[in-house]
Amino acid sequence: MSEQINEEMWEEVYVKPVKKVGMITLLVAAGLTFTPLIYLYLAHGILPPMDAALRSWGLVAAAFGAFYIVEPVSYYAILGLAGTYMSFLSGNISNLRLPCSAMAQEVVGVTEGSKKGEIIGAIGISASVLVNLAFVTAAAIVGMAIIGVLPEIIVEGFRDYTAPAIFGAVYGQFSMRYIQLAPIGIGIALIMLGIIQAPAWLAILACVFGTMGIARVMFNKDIIKGD
Amino acid sequence: MEEVLQVANEWGIWVAGIVVVIICVIQAYLYLKQCFKAGRELGLEDSQMKQGFWVGAKTAIGPAFAVFIIMVGLMSVIGGPMAWMRLAVIGAAPTELTAAQLGAEGYGVEFGGEGYDLQAMATSWWTMIINGVGWLVLVGLIGHKLEPVREKMSGGDPSWLPVLSGAGMLGVFGYLIGGDVLTLEGPMYAVIFGAISMVILLQVAEKTTEKFKPYCLGIAMVTGMIFAIILG
């Protein structure tokens, strides 16, 4: 493993430019996502009523607010710097970005969590951004026609079951590699969600950092070996 | 509802969506370029990085097709351009749908039902937007501060890093499948058969050709879905 790249060089050629592009693109995009509302106002004079806007902001912040911070923190060790900026701008993280990053690293054969792994993972994610964009654009143009010819049961199957199937598949992929850890991730999830009935944000933190903690203990005791 | 959807599908909203999508494409392009540059410094071959690109692209086909189908459903409630903008970039279907519903709730009407007028739709959109902004602003501001946290967790031990990363994956996806398993219904079968078929497919790929690997996720996804439809 030739990970002995000069840290200064890494800072110059990767960290600094990635950080700059990431900050600018995310904050600019945050502002620009309001343009549909601006259009509604300019073209039709329609604005959400202030009280309804504040009420629904409260509702949505209560539902998702904790994830704004919990998700980046939990995913960072997997995605790395460029992967994090890209994933949170492009969305569809668990069903698309994480699986594509992981498969790119697996096939190219780089060590996950290493600098090389981070680069290959980010390249895999950028490819997935373009592929997904092509598919949703096609959906906007010909989607209705295609849905029309598909049997209802297939459409419902895609809606209800593809996300769980993808999640299961990725879990299977990583269970193969760390078989000792396979019962841990799902075990903590079942305890948190099924028995304790913890809120989702707490469950995700417990799953990610609990699995990492137990992995560390197993690693120290030589039950799991790194590459 | 028809009048609402008519406005929701106006060209002006397509333009608004395109602007955001362009930002995302520019970002992906800039990162791709920077990653190739940094990768060369690390001693990665161009062929390896190109391989990473194509593996990412092929792996995305299955999940992106699922997004395609789900998006058509979303188009009929929030309009084409908003569905396109939120699913091409920024969001994911379950989050966007929940936010749109909460917007209607905040306005005091049923989502897509009686009384769901243009102002209700504007409130739905506002709620989706302000929710997405939460992630964008936070990651935009603190994204770079997460690296020192990871460094601390890794403790400078290169053989521990892949285990840390793998444990993170099993934690995240353990959480994600946890809720589905607890349904004890269709989603549970989708998880189980998605996992089993992925393990079998990857082993077949390892014994035959690595080139098959990027297609495993899509096939496992469809297999899990079929079993869930039959058993669920």
Side-chain angles (χ1 to χ4, degrees), chain A residues 13 18 39 55 68 76 89, chain B residues 10 31 34 90 106 131 147:
Chain A
V13 78
V18 165
Y39 172 82
R55 207 161 34 235
Y68 303 162
Y76 190 86
L89 179 59
Chain B
E10 276 176 15
Y31 278 162
Q34 203 66 38
I90 313 278
N131 191 38
E147 179 63 29

Side-chain angles (χ1 to χ4, degrees), chain A residues 167-213:
Chain A
F167 299 158
V170 176
Y171 202 81
Q173 183 185 355
F174 277 82
S175 297
M176 282 167 72
R177 235 171 301 165
Y178 301 103
I179 189 73
Q180 306 92 330
L181 284 176
I184 309 296
I186 179 68
I188 299 175
L190 292 178
I191 292 169
M192 293 302 287
L193 295 171
I195 299 171
I196 303 176
Q197 306 208 319
W201 63 269
L202 186 63
I204 190 171
L205 282 180
C207 287
V208 172
F209 292 100
T211 310
M212 284 176 173

